[in-house]
Amino acid sequence: MTRNDDSMHEQTPITQAQNSIETLHHAVSQALSHPSEQSVAQANTALKRAKNAVDTAVKNETGRNQQPVEFARELLGEEMERLNKLSAD
């Protein structure tokens, strides 16, 4: 059985944070387009996971290249703002 290329790449804290933010983006988009208790709950769960992943990346990248960490933080902030639109409506 062969593995695809994605599964052969090492999952670093930065890539895990990026993947979590991507999942969060999709969950927030779903909640915004089809608001329901379930979609909002899924988006909030994805937000918690993304925050944890970004926090882990921050801890592991201290003193190293901060550009990917800052980018992940920025994307996380954007998704949090999008999710907050649900409670503002």
Side-chain angles (χ1 to χ4, degrees):
M1 180 180 258
T2 61
R3 296 178 149 198
N4 69 26
D5 289 338
D6 290 340
S7 66
M8 297 182 80
H9 292 287
E10 180 183 349
Q11 287 289 313
T12 66
I14 290 293
T15 58
Q16 289 173 343
Q18 291 168 338
N19 290 341
S20 289
I21 292 167
E22 184 175 332
T23 300
L24 172 61
H25 176 79
H26 292 297
V28 171
S29 294
Q30 182 69 25
L32 288 170
S33 65
H34 297 50
S36 70
E37 284 185 38
Q38 182 179 6
S39 65
V40 173
Q42 289 172 339
N44 282 314
T45 298
L47 174 61
K48 289 176 190 173
R49 290 180 179 163
K51 282 181 179 179
N52 288 337
V54 170
D55 287 346
T56 299
V58 167
K59 289 175 189 171
N60 284 311
E61 294 299 319
T62 301
R64 298 184 193 164
N65 183 3
Q66 290 297 302
Q67 186 176 4
V69 173
E70 290 305 317
F71 185 62
R73 281 181 167 166
E74 182 180 320
L75 290 176
L76 180 62
E78 290 173 9
E79 293 306 321
M80 289 171 68
E81 286 178 20
R82 290 179 66 221
L83 187 55
N84 284 335
K85 287 179 184 178
L86 281 173
S87 34
D89 291 341

